Amino acid sequence: MARRALIAAAVLAALVAALLVAWGLAGWRDVRARQHELAAAPGVEAAQRAGELARDLRGQLERVLARESERPYFQYQNLMHDPRASLGGNVAPSPLASAPADPLVLGYFQIDPAGRVSTPTINDEVPELSDAQHAAADRAFREEVARVLAPALASPAASGPARVVEVDPSTYAQNASANEVYRQRPVVAAAAPVGIVVTAPVWQTRAFAGAPALIAVRHVDTPAGALVQGFVIDRATVTGWLAAHAGELVARIGPGEGDRGEELAPGWRLAVEPNPHAIARAAGEAHVVARDFAIRFVAIALFAVLAAAGVVWIVARAEKLARERSQFAAAAAHELRTPLAGLQLYGDMMADGLGDPDKLRDYARRTSEEAARLGRVVSNVLGFSQLERGNLSVGAQLGDLGTVLCELGERAQPALDRAGAPLEVDIDRELRARFDRDAVSRIVANLVDNAEKYARGADDRAIRIAARDRGDTVEIVVEDRGPGVADTRALFQPFSRQPVQDGPAGLGLGLALSRSLARAMGGELSYRARAGGGASFTLRLPRA
């Protein structure tokens, strides 16, 4: 019996020893691998963060360049005549006359054929039109452009693709003599349209204010000579943005970095290095890994195996739940983040007393508009939830449909005007039909919101609402001049969205809910392509 016990003990001892040795060797290899991973983690994190920051910043620079590519040449002067905004003989301050259109832009400049430098914020002939609030900074910027950039840009340089813009004689004459028009002095226009050749802006690296600067330059050929237009990227703003987003990492931006870092623009790269404290912290964590393994090996080897299995199960379960939450959050945030950002921005501005005190009512109005937009999203989600449960109901009654539609147009007009989408209303106030006021408001609001979002890239962003008596029915038509609907097969299906590259955010519930509301009132919502381009949605309601 003792012999069997010894044999069993030896076998068990050998088995336990083999298991412990095998576990110890394998575990120590894991410890060494983990130590190597921890030592390399700060560099890996820095490289990953450099890629993320570069993608974000590069995207911002590309958006600035794309927007400036479309900017009319006459907006680089203090006064301008924009034929898209008004007709006849008149001028107005340029959108660039008060402040840069983007926080990344330090300032805009224009160099005329004689080498004279001008900026849209300064009007030497009519000083009262200059931006008095930033007068010193604006003049310092213009003087630096004249001192450093104008001589450097005098010789021809590489330029982007050119396009020809045909301008009517009156528009060209008013822009060429904008100050004279402002003084109400007559100007003489040519007899034929004027062709303006505008090249796409390209990035260049030039010295500015004692340091390398990233600038964008384009050339404009006019009958009066060649103009050089461009803008300077504010390096201080970029550096501040990097400092705010890099955390404890050390981020650098500049030209002449060779192959180091991530490319932002031709010749400019972003490099991120780990913080020395992070490197020391990683070395300490590597030592802790080895010490902890030794303790676990001696004390709780078997328990560690069971605990690891439990941890793996918990992590897998938590990951599954997190993935499900992430999918829901991504779908909701995709649509809600824009109005929420607007609410926070204008709310913070009013709470902290920022911005122009004279525009508090405008800030409050914009806050109200963003809240209404957020309300429409929530209303669509709740309405679709009711539709899914089968308890969507409306109370259609005979009423003054024309008055309701006119009121809707009047409420929507200010926000659409600020968005650059003028609203055309062609409605007879005496028009009557059987309808539910809230349902019609939701349908029209969804259609107008879609028209504004999907026609943002159109040359003509006008939206038209019309209502007509068709005998037994009343037709309400909402039209835009955007790209129209490419695929109508699932247009009114929930969560169906048009395959438009860089299209606006949305959950794809508005049209599905709108058609259901229309049918609940005894009507119908349909789509047809608008003659001449764009989308046209028609809501038909019974007259009685």
Side-chain angles (χ1 to χ4, degrees), residues 122-145:
I122 300 175
N123 191 321
D124 291 323
E125 297 181 21
V126 190
E128 62 268 24
L129 295 178
S130 300
D131 184 3
Q133 186 177 1
H134 308 94
D138 292 339
R139 293 196 176 277
F141 174 82
R142 187 175 71 172
E143 291 171 2
E144 185 68 12
V145 172

Side-chain angles (χ1 to χ4, degrees), residues 70 86 97 99 159 225 228 278 284 304 318 348 400 451 510:
E70 301 299 323
S86 62
S159 60
V228 177
D348 289 347
D400 295 327

Side-chain angles (χ1 to χ4, degrees), residues 206-226:
R206 300 287 183 181
F208 190 84
L214 181 63
I215 68 172
V217 177
R218 72 177 183 181
H219 298 84
V220 180
D221 290 331
T222 72

Side-chain angles (χ1 to χ4, degrees), residues 308-344:
V311 168
V312 169
W313 181 85
I314 292 173
V315 170
R317 180 63 178 169
E319 199 170 54
K320 179 183 178 182
L321 294 175
R323 186 166 56 251
E324 292 173 353
R325 288 196 301 268
S326 177
Q327 290 172 350
F328 171 78
H334 201 59
E335 178 70 0
L336 298 177
R337 62 184 176 186
T338 299
L340 285 175
L343 285 172
Q344 181 177 3

Side-chain angles (χ1 to χ4, degrees), residues 47 69 76 79 106 136 219 240 244 331 365 374:
S69 297
Y76 276 73
L79 285 174
L106 178 63
H219 298 84
R365 187 182 299 107
L374 184 61

Side-chain angles (χ1 to χ4, degrees), residues 29 50 74 98 127 174 178 186 189 224 302 311 327 359 419 421 441 469 493 535:
R29 286 197 299 270
F74 47 76
S98 57
Q174 291 184 70
L302 295 178
V311 168
Q327 290 172 350
K359 294 184 178 180
S441 299
D469 186 348
Q493 296 298 317

Side-chain angles (χ1 to χ4, degrees), residues 49-58 241-242 245-246 251 270 272:
R49 192 61 181 143
E52 295 169 358
L53 292 174
R55 281 194 300 272
D56 196 345
L57 187 55
R58 185 165 55 242
W241 183 89
L242 288 174
H245 289 78
L270 168 66
V272 177

